[in-house]
Amino acid sequence: MATVSVKHHQMFIDGKDVDAPEAYEIRSPSTEELVCTVAKGSVTHADAAVDAARQAFESGSWSRMAKEERSAIMVRIAERLGDELEELTELEISANGATIRQALGFHCGLASPHFLYFAEQALSYEFEQSVATKAYPTLSANTIVREPLGVCAAIVPWNFPLVLGIWKIGPALAAGNSVVVKCDEKTPLSLLRLAQIAHEEGVPAGVLNVITGDGAQVGARLASHPGVDKVAFTGSTAVGREIMRLASGTLKKCSLELGGKGPVIMLDDADLSYAIDGVLFGCMLYSGQICESGTRLFVSRKRHDEVVAKLVERASLIRQGDPSDFETDMGPVVSARQRDRILGYLEQAKADGATFALGGGVPEGERFAKGHWIQPTIVTNVTNDMQIAREEIFGPVLVVIPYDSLEDAIAMANDNEYGLTGGVWAQDYEKALEVSGRLRAGTVWINNWHMIDPALPFGGYKQSGVGRELGPDALGEYTEAKHVHMDLAGRADRLPFDMLISAPG
Ligand code: NAD
């Protein structure tokens, strides 16, 4: 049998490509064809990466570099991410199955501007702040200094590896930390390329390391490693809990960006000429594999049938197929495991009495015999207590739940363990703002979805996470605040010492 020759990728540790005895096969989620192989990291690689990161941090090559120089290097990396957009997109979609339109606009298109935001923060963040004090009894100068934490581990999932990696790498580097990134085993390619670019542009060896490996071994090793000061994680809530537990042994700082079950409240005055497409955009982009998707639509009982009919009409036009074709609207889901998980949820929904107004299974036709496919699916006859309405499905599945009053809708929207995002569709902005104020979620979109800006915080209420990524205080998650008190009174005022020694000196 002829062997197919494909490219082999290595990890990036201490400024060098590092191979491993074992390898992962990266297969296209759309065709199941072998795309490439990647070194399979082990706990030994995790330890080597942490050692390299620690040595780099202690050397001061990055941590004590002038912030102007650090920022300039980061600006150049951001530029390269823009220059190499097409190559990065190719790497990303070959492994995660995003469509080329989505990847250019979102998965990879956001990489350069988001990295640039952190490059600018490296310069503009208030690393030192003088504070005029009231309480000290003597004359003194007091400063808050924000110092890097040390070695930060970033554990990244498969859905948006490059951008979700940058949300951790960007603020960590801007603040002067060293970083070890553990990619998801299915999608490490774009982050490995980022590490090479960063090194080429002047990030010293050991400061940014990118490794692969199984989560339960290599990810867990980083989360519990005594040499790691902070762990930043995006992924499932179940693994988030485990990471917090592992990190507790050394009381590491944790930021966790976890699951979601975004409620979407459609008010009766919503303009359906764009709200219908907006709801589908909010739920089904990237085959619904986005934690912040709006997956539970609450619509008043009197508009329910009209809204469902229009959703079905528009969602039927979504074209599934080859993700690299600009005509394709929706690609596959990332893996057979993910497809089977979604199908399991749909089976259970049927057993619970739900009905499918659209979809509900795997699309038919030869094109879909290979790859991991799920039809765009709209589920009706759902109550808010059914599993399909409570758990994160991570597929192109929208549930529609009728409400009798707005109070009822808000109560159902908040009745979930997650609180990552929410949204309102309405023409009356005052009303929409009132509803947004009552949604227990870290982001609320009014008449839009997926609008994430690096200057605005992103993260979850309730079990959707701990801490915030992005926003003006993103670097706060990667720094320690140190108070430096400098006495200016000298011998002129020895009042505080009197608390201990009152005899004249
Ligand atoms: P996951 O949470 O298992 O994996 C995410 C990352 O964590 C990967 O890099 C993985 O290797 C690592 N990991 C896994 N177990 C670990 C452990 N014990 N210690 C440390 N690291 C570990 O996600 P998944 O299995 O790929 O997907 C399952 C479900 O998670 C999805 O269906 C979806 O609901 C959710 N998910 C959410 C997001 C998100 O953006 N919030 C992303 C991916 C998956």
Side-chain angles (χ1 to χ4, degrees), residues 470-494:
L470 310 179
D473 200 37
L475 270 66
E477 300 267 355
Y478 291 86
T479 53
E480 292 274 22
K482 179 187 274 180
H483 166 202
V484 181
H485 168 102
M486 189 158 56
D487 180 76
L488 298 177
R491 294 197 68 82
D493 183 356
R494 299 288 76 196

Side-chain angles (χ1 to χ4, degrees), residues 14 47-64 151 178 205-207 209 227:
D14 204 11
D47 290 350
V50 172
D51 285 350
R54 175 60 57 193
Q55 273 182 32
F57 183 76
E58 299 301 342
S59 78
S61 61
W62 182 257
S63 52
R64 292 196 295 278
V151 175
S178 297
V207 171
N209 308 276

Side-chain angles (χ1 to χ4, degrees), residues 156 158 182 185 215 219 233 235-236 258 291 337-338 341 392:
V156 181
W158 45 262
K182 208 291 285 174
E185 38 281 28
F233 168 77
S236 60
L258 309 175
C291 49
R337 178 172 165 251
Q338 197 63 20
R341 195 172 166 272
E392 184 174 54

